Amino acid sequence: MLRGKNLIYPTDFTVEQLEALFCLTDKIIARPDQYANSCNDKILATLFFEPSTRTRLSFEAAMQRLGGKVLGFADSASSSATKGESLADTIRMISCYADIAAIRHPAEGAAHVAALHSFIPVINAGDGGHQHPTQTLTDLYTIRAKKGRFHDLTIGLCGDLKYGRTVHSLIHAMCRYENIHFVLISPPELQVPDYVIREIEAAPGCSYSVDPDLDSAIRQVDILYMTRVQRERFSSQEEYLRLKDSYILDTQKMQNAKPDMIVLHPMPIVNEITGAVDEDPRACYFVQAQYGMYVRMALILSLLGAEDGPATVCGGRMFEKTCQNPRPNGTVHCKNPKCVSNLDLTLPIRVKDGGKVCEYCDAAIEE
């Protein structure tokens, strides 16, 4: 059902397709031996232009547990990007060698660019502060496992809500469910971007409130999604140091939470959750990380069409693929300086929502 598709946004799959993916994840967890050879002779390319531990190793472990092989690089210094090779050319070349690719890149919209030029399925493993859909699949599966539903939930999102791509992706995904209320917990400098707020406002079953006080917010939420303040997203070291300890979850705050509340975190944890909280049964972030490997196994199987047996999809296919709407002499540009279209001026401009926002990173467009 998902064979040959890309995963760039968390909503690239329908709710029904997500449920099928999660049911496959259930089966893999219950009987991993049945899937141990499903990807024999298949290769996953991991294109990590940005440092990662959990996500990269999770993808590699997932593919190896399916019997497949992995090639790729762990930082941009190991790639031809240092020689000036474009992202489009990199993914075209990788398409010749691998059957499926996972890409992480600091430029927002980079995974979308890769998908436009790739001949194999592309998985977005994080593009700047924009989206992180496989983490969202992990988050959703954990919610499903621990809460048993995707509706009638109050979700507290705490910390870096401006640059936190996992937050943006989770909101993006949860807006499709009924009676979801988001409590946004952040300092003013790290509030959710406008385009994410617009998504919540446009979703008929969703609402939000802003509460900068974690002690107050924790009393009302069913799920508390903690995030770190990300040093790598700040252009100013002084601003990072001023904001990095804005919120710290400790056992005293946990005493005010609901008995069945769960705490999630995309990892890594720096100092926003104290070690003592790890012992609380409501702390689900380590099992959440374990679920991530199984969800990625199910995703790889589904995109390769191997849910019921060894994959038969062929790898890199040599054919011409071009991108339409060439860039009109720089007369249109994205307001987001971290957008891939502003970092690679050879890319064509692509817009959506009536030409108001950039298709790559969802930020506003200027003419």
Side-chain angles (χ1 to χ4, degrees), residues 113-135:
V113 172
L116 289 172
H117 295 90
S118 177
F119 310 140
I120 59 177
V122 171
I123 302 170
N124 183 0
D127 58 335
H130 188 219
Q131 299 285 340
H132 196 348
T134 62
Q135 179 63 51

PDB file of all heavy atoms in Angstrom, residues 113-135:
ATOM      1  N   VAL A 113      13.484  18.385  -1.516  1.00  0.00           N
ATOM      2  CA  VAL A 113      14.326  18.489  -2.708  1.00  0.00           C
ATOM      3  C   VAL A 113      14.845  17.116  -3.105  1.00  0.00           C
ATOM      4  O   VAL A 113      14.821  16.730  -4.283  1.00  0.00           O
ATOM      5  CB  VAL A 113      15.503  19.454  -2.469  1.00  0.00           C
ATOM      6  CG1 VAL A 113      16.493  19.411  -3.630  1.00  0.00           C
ATOM      7  CG2 VAL A 113      14.993  20.873  -2.287  1.00  0.00           C
ATOM      8  N   ALA A 114      15.309  16.348  -2.127  1.00  0.00           N
ATOM      9  CA  ALA A 114      15.818  15.007  -2.413  1.00  0.00           C
ATOM     10  C   ALA A 114      14.745  14.136  -3.057  1.00  0.00           C
ATOM     11  O   ALA A 114      15.014  13.424  -4.035  1.00  0.00           O
ATOM     12  CB  ALA A 114      16.332  14.359  -1.131  1.00  0.00           C
ATOM     13  N   ALA A 115      13.531  14.205  -2.543  1.00  0.00           N
ATOM     14  CA  ALA A 115      12.449  13.390  -3.092  1.00  0.00           C
ATOM     15  C   ALA A 115      12.113  13.779  -4.529  1.00  0.00           C
ATOM     16  O   ALA A 115      11.759  12.927  -5.346  1.00  0.00           O
ATOM     17  CB  ALA A 115      11.207  13.518  -2.215  1.00  0.00           C
ATOM     18  N   LEU A 116      12.239  15.065  -4.846  1.00  0.00           N
ATOM     19  CA  LEU A 116      11.946  15.537  -6.203  1.00  0.00           C
ATOM     20  C   LEU A 116      12.909  14.957  -7.229  1.00  0.00           C
ATOM     21  O   LEU A 116      12.560  14.799  -8.401  1.00  0.00           O
ATOM     22  CB  LEU A 116      12.006  17.069  -6.257  1.00  0.00           C
ATOM     23  CG  LEU A 116      10.890  17.838  -5.554  1.00  0.00           C
ATOM     24  CD1 LEU A 116      11.196  19.330  -5.543  1.00  0.00           C
ATOM     25  CD2 LEU A 116       9.547  17.580  -6.239  1.00  0.00           C
ATOM     26  N   HIS A 117      14.139  14.650  -6.789  1.00  0.00           N
ATOM     27  CA  HIS A 117      15.168  14.214  -7.724  1.00  0.00           C
ATOM     28  C   HIS A 117      15.564  12.752  -7.559  1.00  0.00           C
ATOM     29  O   HIS A 117      16.412  12.253  -8.295  1.00  0.00           O
ATOM     30  CB  HIS A 117      16.409  15.096  -7.576  1.00  0.00           C
ATOM     31  CG  HIS A 117      16.175  16.522  -7.953  1.00  0.00           C
ATOM     32  ND1 HIS A 117      15.762  17.474  -7.046  1.00  0.00           N
ATOM     33  CD2 HIS A 117      16.260  17.154  -9.149  1.00  0.00           C
ATOM     34  CE1 HIS A 117      15.619  18.638  -7.666  1.00  0.00           C
ATOM     35  NE2 HIS A 117      15.918  18.471  -8.930  1.00  0.00           N
ATOM     36  N   SER A 118      14.977  12.065  -6.608  1.00  0.00           N
ATOM     37  CA  SER A 118      15.358  10.681  -6.335  1.00  0.00           C
ATOM     38  C   SER A 118      14.573   9.700  -7.195  1.00  0.00           C
ATOM     39  O   SER A 118      13.429   9.950  -7.571  1.00  0.00           O
ATOM     40  CB  SER A 118      15.109  10.365  -4.855  1.00  0.00           C
ATOM     41  OG  SER A 118      15.399   9.016  -4.581  1.00  0.00           O
ATOM     42  N   PHE A 119      15.210   8.567  -7.487  1.00  0.00           N
ATOM     43  CA  PHE A 119      14.550   7.481  -8.199  1.00  0.00           C
ATOM     44  C   PHE A 119      14.168   6.340  -7.249  1.00  0.00           C
ATOM     45  O   PHE A 119      13.697   5.299  -7.698  1.00  0.00           O
ATOM     46  CB  PHE A 119      15.466   6.942  -9.309  1.00  0.00           C
ATOM     47  CG  PHE A 119      16.039   8.016 -10.194  1.00  0.00           C
ATOM     48  CD1 PHE A 119      17.343   7.942 -10.616  1.00  0.00           C
ATOM     49  CD2 PHE A 119      15.265   9.095 -10.597  1.00  0.00           C
ATOM     50  CE1 PHE A 119      17.883   8.939 -11.433  1.00  0.00           C
ATOM     51  CE2 PHE A 119      15.795  10.085 -11.413  1.00  0.00           C
ATOM     52  CZ  PHE A 119      17.111  10.012 -11.836  1.00  0.00           C
ATOM     53  N   ILE A 120      14.441   6.509  -5.976  1.00  0.00           N
ATOM     54  CA  ILE A 120      14.114   5.518  -4.960  1.00  0.00           C
ATOM     55  C   ILE A 120      13.344   6.206  -3.836  1.00  0.00           C
ATOM     56  O   ILE A 120      13.364   7.436  -3.737  1.00  0.00           O
ATOM     57  CB  ILE A 120      15.390   4.849  -4.395  1.00  0.00           C
ATOM     58  CG1 ILE A 120      16.328   5.901  -3.780  1.00  0.00           C
ATOM     59  CG2 ILE A 120      16.101   4.039  -5.477  1.00  0.00           C
ATOM     60  CD1 ILE A 120      17.580   5.322  -3.140  1.00  0.00           C
ATOM     61  N   PRO A 121      12.636   5.464  -2.979  1.00  0.00           N
ATOM     62  CA  PRO A 121      11.909   6.088  -1.862  1.00  0.00           C
ATOM     63  C   PRO A 121      12.841   6.864  -0.945  1.00  0.00           C
ATOM     64  O   PRO A 121      13.936   6.404  -0.615  1.00  0.00           O
ATOM     65  CB  PRO A 121      11.272   4.897  -1.141  1.00  0.00           C
ATOM     66  CG  PRO A 121      11.183   3.826  -2.176  1.00  0.00           C
ATOM     67  CD  PRO A 121      12.389   4.004  -3.045  1.00  0.00           C
ATOM     68  N   VAL A 122      12.403   8.050  -0.534  1.00  0.00           N
ATOM     69  CA  VAL A 122      13.174   8.916   0.353  1.00  0.00           C
ATOM     70  C   VAL A 122      12.429   9.080   1.670  1.00  0.00           C
ATOM     71  O   VAL A 122      11.221   9.344   1.677  1.00  0.00           O
ATOM     72  CB  VAL A 122      13.422  10.301  -0.286  1.00  0.00           C
ATOM     73  CG1 VAL A 122      14.041  11.264   0.730  1.00  0.00           C
ATOM     74  CG2 VAL A 122      14.326  10.159  -1.499  1.00  0.00           C
ATOM     75  N   ILE A 123      13.157   8.941   2.772  1.00  0.00           N
ATOM     76  CA  ILE A 123      12.601   9.146   4.110  1.00  0.00           C
ATOM     77  C   ILE A 123      13.275  10.370   4.717  1.00  0.00           C
ATOM     78  O   ILE A 123      14.506  10.443   4.772  1.00  0.00           O
ATOM     79  CB  ILE A 123      12.846   7.916   5.006  1.00  0.00           C
ATOM     80  CG1 ILE A 123      12.224   6.660   4.393  1.00  0.00           C
ATOM     81  CG2 ILE A 123      12.288   8.163   6.406  1.00  0.00           C
ATOM     82  CD1 ILE A 123      12.640   5.371   5.106  1.00  0.00           C
ATOM     83  N   ASN A 124      12.483  11.312   5.171  1.00  0.00           N
ATOM     84  CA  ASN A 124      13.004  12.499   5.846  1.00  0.00           C
ATOM     85  C   ASN A 124      13.373  12.129   7.276  1.00  0.00           C
ATOM     86  O   ASN A 124      12.512  11.846   8.101  1.00  0.00           O
ATOM     87  CB  ASN A 124      11.942  13.605   5.830  1.00  0.00           C
ATOM     88  CG  ASN A 124      12.422  14.899   6.451  1.00  0.00           C
ATOM     89  OD1 ASN A 124      13.555  15.003   6.905  1.00  0.00           O
ATOM     90  ND2 ASN A 124      11.547  15.898   6.483  1.00  0.00           N
ATOM     91  N   ALA A 125      14.672  12.174   7.581  1.00  0.00           N
ATOM     92  CA  ALA A 125      15.145  11.885   8.937  1.00  0.00           C
ATOM     93  C   ALA A 125      15.426  13.170   9.705  1.00  0.00           C
ATOM     94  O   ALA A 125      16.137  13.151  10.712  1.00  0.00           O
ATOM     95  CB  ALA A 125      16.404  11.019   8.869  1.00  0.00           C
ATOM     96  N   GLY A 126      14.852  14.284   9.237  1.00  0.00           N
ATOM     97  CA  GLY A 126      15.002  15.574   9.899  1.00  0.00           C
ATOM     98  C   GLY A 126      15.596  16.602   8.964  1.00  0.00           C
ATOM     99  O   GLY A 126      16.691  16.407   8.443  1.00  0.00           O
ATOM    100  N   ASP A 127      14.845  17.699   8.720  1.00  0.00           N
ATOM    101  CA  ASP A 127      15.368  18.771   7.862  1.00  0.00           C
ATOM    102  C   ASP A 127      15.354  20.088   8.643  1.00  0.00           C
ATOM    103  O   ASP A 127      14.352  20.766   8.736  1.00  0.00           O
ATOM    104  CB  ASP A 127      14.600  18.882   6.543  1.00  0.00           C
ATOM    105  CG  ASP A 127      13.113  19.141   6.709  1.00  0.00           C
ATOM    106  OD1 ASP A 127      12.558  18.790   7.776  1.00  0.00           O
ATOM    107  OD2 ASP A 127      12.495  19.714   5.795  1.00  0.00           O
ATOM    108  N   GLY A 128      16.517  20.428   9.210  1.00  0.00           N
ATOM    109  CA  GLY A 128      16.637  21.654   9.994  1.00  0.00           C
ATOM    110  C   GLY A 128      15.636  21.683  11.133  1.00  0.00           C
ATOM    111  O   GLY A 128      15.422  20.696  11.829  1.00  0.00           O
ATOM    112  N   GLY A 129      14.994  22.831  11.307  1.00  0.00           N
ATOM    113  CA  GLY A 129      13.969  22.968  12.343  1.00  0.00           C
ATOM    114  C   GLY A 129      12.578  22.760  11.800  1.00  0.00           C
ATOM    115  O   GLY A 129      11.602  23.207  12.411  1.00  0.00           O
ATOM    116  N   HIS A 130      12.459  22.058  10.664  1.00  0.00           N
ATOM    117  CA  HIS A 130      11.194  21.966   9.944  1.00  0.00           C
ATOM    118  C   HIS A 130      10.365  20.757  10.353  1.00  0.00           C
ATOM    119  O   HIS A 130       9.394  20.874  11.092  1.00  0.00           O
ATOM    120  CB  HIS A 130      11.488  21.954   8.432  1.00  0.00           C
ATOM    121  CG  HIS A 130      10.293  22.044   7.563  1.00  0.00           C
ATOM    122  ND1 HIS A 130      10.162  21.329   6.391  1.00  0.00           N
ATOM    123  CD2 HIS A 130       9.163  22.766   7.683  1.00  0.00           C
ATOM    124  CE1 HIS A 130       9.012  21.617   5.824  1.00  0.00           C
ATOM    125  NE2 HIS A 130       8.381  22.485   6.587  1.00  0.00           N
ATOM    126  N   GLN A 131      10.756  19.552   9.899  1.00  0.00           N
ATOM    127  CA  GLN A 131       9.969  18.349  10.145  1.00  0.00           C
ATOM    128  C   GLN A 131      10.875  17.177  10.527  1.00  0.00           C
ATOM    129  O   GLN A 131      12.061  17.150  10.193  1.00  0.00           O
ATOM    130  CB  GLN A 131       9.160  17.963   8.892  1.00  0.00           C
ATOM    131  CG  GLN A 131       8.169  19.005   8.424  1.00  0.00           C
ATOM    132  CD  GLN A 131       6.925  19.088   9.293  1.00  0.00           C
ATOM    133  OE1 GLN A 131       6.617  18.146  10.030  1.00  0.00           O
ATOM    134  NE2 GLN A 131       6.195  20.177   9.199  1.00  0.00           N
ATOM    135  N   HIS A 132      10.291  16.207  11.211  1.00  0.00           N
ATOM    136  CA  HIS A 132      10.999  14.969  11.579  1.00  0.00           C
ATOM    137  C   HIS A 132       9.947  13.857  11.626  1.00  0.00           C
ATOM    138  O   HIS A 132       9.596  13.361  12.693  1.00  0.00           O
ATOM    139  CB  HIS A 132      11.675  15.137  12.935  1.00  0.00           C
ATOM    140  CG  HIS A 132      12.714  14.101  13.240  1.00  0.00           C
ATOM    141  ND1 HIS A 132      12.874  12.950  12.501  1.00  0.00           N
ATOM    142  CD2 HIS A 132      13.662  14.033  14.224  1.00  0.00           C
ATOM    143  CE1 HIS A 132      13.842  12.232  13.006  1.00  0.00           C
ATOM    144  NE2 HIS A 132      14.345  12.864  14.053  1.00  0.00           N
ATOM    145  N   PRO A 133       9.460  13.423  10.457  1.00  0.00           N
ATOM    146  CA  PRO A 133       8.297  12.524  10.441  1.00  0.00           C
ATOM    147  C   PRO A 133       8.517  11.145  11.043  1.00  0.00           C
ATOM    148  O   PRO A 133       7.587  10.576  11.607  1.00  0.00           O
ATOM    149  CB  PRO A 133       7.941  12.433   8.954  1.00  0.00           C
ATOM    150  CG  PRO A 133       9.180  12.834   8.238  1.00  0.00           C
ATOM    151  CD  PRO A 133       9.856  13.835   9.109  1.00  0.00           C
ATOM    152  N   THR A 134       9.738  10.575  10.946  1.00  0.00           N
ATOM    153  CA  THR A 134       9.900   9.245  11.545  1.00  0.00           C
ATOM    154  C   THR A 134       9.907   9.313  13.063  1.00  0.00           C
ATOM    155  O   THR A 134       9.500   8.360  13.733  1.00  0.00           O
ATOM    156  CB  THR A 134      11.182   8.533  11.047  1.00  0.00           C
ATOM    157  OG1 THR A 134      12.337   9.291  11.427  1.00  0.00           O
ATOM    158  CG2 THR A 134      11.148   8.360   9.548  1.00  0.00           C
ATOM    159  N   GLN A 135      10.354  10.439  13.625  1.00  0.00           N
ATOM    160  CA  GLN A 135      10.210  10.621  15.066  1.00  0.00           C
ATOM    161  C   GLN A 135       8.737  10.735  15.414  1.00  0.00           C
ATOM    162  O   GLN A 135       8.277  10.220  16.447  1.00  0.00           O
ATOM    163  CB  GLN A 135      10.954  11.872  15.532  1.00  0.00           C
ATOM    164  CG  GLN A 135      10.829  12.125  17.028  1.00  0.00           C
ATOM    165  CD  GLN A 135      11.435  11.021  17.875  1.00  0.00           C
ATOM    166  OE1 GLN A 135      12.584  10.640  17.669  1.00  0.00           O
ATOM    167  NE2 GLN A 135      10.670  10.497  18.826  1.00  0.00           N
TER     168      GLN A 135
END
